[in-house]
Amino acid sequence: MPPDTPGLHHVTGLVGDAQTAVDFYAGVLGLRLATQTVNFEDILQHHLYFGDAVGTPGTVLTHFPDPHADPGRVGKPQVASVAFVVPADSLEYWRDRLVDHDVAVEGPLERFEERVLRFEDPDGTRLELVAGPPDAPDPSGVEPWTDGPVPDDAAVRALHGVSTLSVNPYATAGTLETLGFEYETELDDRARYRAAGDRATVVDVLDRDAEFGREGPGTLHHVAVRVGSEGELHEWRELFDDRGHDVSRVKDRHFFHSLYVREPGGVLFELATESDGVAASGPEGGPGESLHLPDWFERDRDLIESQLPELTVPEATARADDTADTVDTDSDR
């Protein structure tokens, strides 16, 4: 049996316009555009990595922009939402910041002794900011990106976790336990599983009625968990294959190696190797400022760049903290 995963590696979703995504995730949420590269399965499509300064596994949300795709629909079997960790006393700042950027916000709500803000990105992707109790230690284990537009004491620390909508919650729970997550608690139709690492450790399994999802902008494509080495990936592949799961071969993703498994509950998981970070420099500038291509695509750079929009990272425009207190109870997401 391969070693347990310590937690999430990254989460990947689909958006419409690439620049709109950069403006929102870098300009509003204050994440760093750690890397802009291409979809390795479709080199004429951007793949954008947002995270901390170096794109540490456990901090990263990636997006495939497709301005021509029909809007997606969140449903089964999908990752329904992704949550980020923020400092305990920063939710009021974040609520005001999001409202100032014309983002509809729900909360703060209370869930499992945590306070949660819910909102959506411009394509409707469901996002959350989660803060633990005031005396809780910083759970992320990483330093935030501090050169963005958000003050250091409010900046996003890392991924907190994801919520999944499965066609078979018991099967999805079994997959999580196989990967090393342990059941922690449940409330209403939400069961929480947690990995033993220092960041990005939560997967909630939702057991509720929902229509079937449709892949497209506004939906999350898969959630990736961390594994220690390429050798462990091959062990995981053999294990899932022996159990009859739909599992891919081990793939070279340039920044890491990975494989994909569609577990019996229908949720797509990726297993990805640890690295020092996925930030990459292009021919000019720092991480994310230009298009980064692996060596095997460099000969096609002129073609690729001619087909992709040039992206601009918003300049930092920090603002002061504001405070407000509104606590409500969890509702239906």
Side-chain angles (χ1 to χ4, degrees):
M1 187 79 176
D4 292 347
T5 179
L8 305 188
H9 188 284
H10 66 270
V11 181
T12 292
L14 308 169
V15 295
D17 181 68
Q19 185 61 56
T20 300
V22 172
D23 290 344
F24 182 80
Y25 286 97
V28 179
L29 294 189
L31 301 174
R32 188 175 204 189
L33 179 58
T35 292
Q36 57 167 304
T37 184
V38 295
N39 182 346
F40 293 170
E41 309 295 339
D42 178 1
I43 62 172
L44 300 185
Q45 182 182 44
H46 264 121
H47 192 183
L48 308 177
Y49 288 69
F50 301 93
D52 70 348
V54 297
T56 305
T59 73
V60 176
L61 175 65
T62 90
H63 277 300
F64 295 119
D66 186 349
H68 306 296
D70 292 331
R73 179 179 61 230
V74 179
K76 296 182 178 180
Q78 286 181 347
V79 177
S81 63
V82 57
F84 298 93
V85 174
V86 295
D89 57 355
S90 68
L91 285 190
E92 285 71 26
Y93 163 82
W94 275 107
R95 184 181 58 193
D96 291 347
R97 177 174 178 80
L98 292 167
V99 170
D100 287 346
H101 286 81
D102 298 323
V103 178
V105 183
E106 182 183 6
L109 314 168
E110 289 187 348
R111 187 174 68 207
F112 299 136
E113 299 184 348
E114 297 171 334
R115 301 175 73 216
V116 181
L117 284 183
R118 293 171 172 164
F119 55 100
E120 296 178 350
D121 76 4
D123 288 290
T125 308
R126 296 178 179 179
L127 306 173
E128 297 178 338
L129 297 178
V130 176
D135 58 348
D138 184 343
S140 71
V142 296
E143 294 294 325
W145 170 235
T146 57
D147 287 342
V150 176
D152 296 358
D153 58 1
V156 171
R157 264 46 183 177
L159 295 173
H160 176 270
V162 295
S163 297
T164 62
L165 275 170
S166 169
V167 296
N168 186 339
Y170 296 102
T172 300
T175 300
L176 290 170
E177 290 173 343
T178 297
L179 289 168
F181 289 79
E182 292 187 358
Y183 169 82
E184 184 174 82
T185 187
E186 61 186 283
L187 177 66
D188 301 327
D189 58 4
R190 178 184 295 267
R192 171 154 296 183
Y193 290 78
R194 188 182 293 274
D198 61 357
R199 61 187 184 277
T201 56
V202 168
V203 175
D204 287 349
V205 179
L206 307 178
D207 186 4
R208 64 181 58 162
D209 291 334
E211 60 185 340
F212 280 91
R214 181 180 62 234
E215 190 173 292
T219 63
L220 294 163
H221 187 262
H222 65 262
V223 54
V225 301
R226 308 197 296 276
V227 301
S229 68
E230 186 179 352
E232 291 178 19
L233 283 180
H234 288 282
E235 294 182 51
W236 281 112
R237 191 195 182 286
E238 183 176 353
L239 184 152
F240 285 122
D241 189 52
D242 286 346
R243 295 186 180 186
H245 294 359
D246 181 9
V247 58
S248 76
R249 61 180 173 81
V250 173
K251 300 187 178 185
D252 182 355
R253 293 309 193 192
H254 182 57
F255 308 107
F256 47 82
H257 285 74
S258 70
L259 65 83
Y260 300 84
V261 57
R262 180 78 68 179
E263 52 87 25
V267 178
L268 183 60
F269 284 85
E270 181 181 1
L271 286 72
T273 53
E274 290 270 20
S275 69
D276 293 333
V278 299
S281 298
E284 299 178 356
E289 295 176 3
S290 58
L291 183 68
H292 176 81
L293 297 175
D295 291 342
W296 61 85
F297 288 149
E298 274 293 346
R299 64 182 180 182
D300 297 320
R301 175 174 286 276
D302 289 345
L303 168 66
I304 294 169
E305 289 186 328
S306 71
Q307 298 298 310
L308 295 177
E310 185 175 350
L311 302 180
T312 303
V313 179
E315 295 183 1
T317 52
R319 50 158 293 181
D321 285 354
D322 295 318
T323 58
D325 291 307
T326 302
V327 178
D328 199 349
T329 55
D330 200 0
S331 56
D332 61 349
R333 182 176 298 175

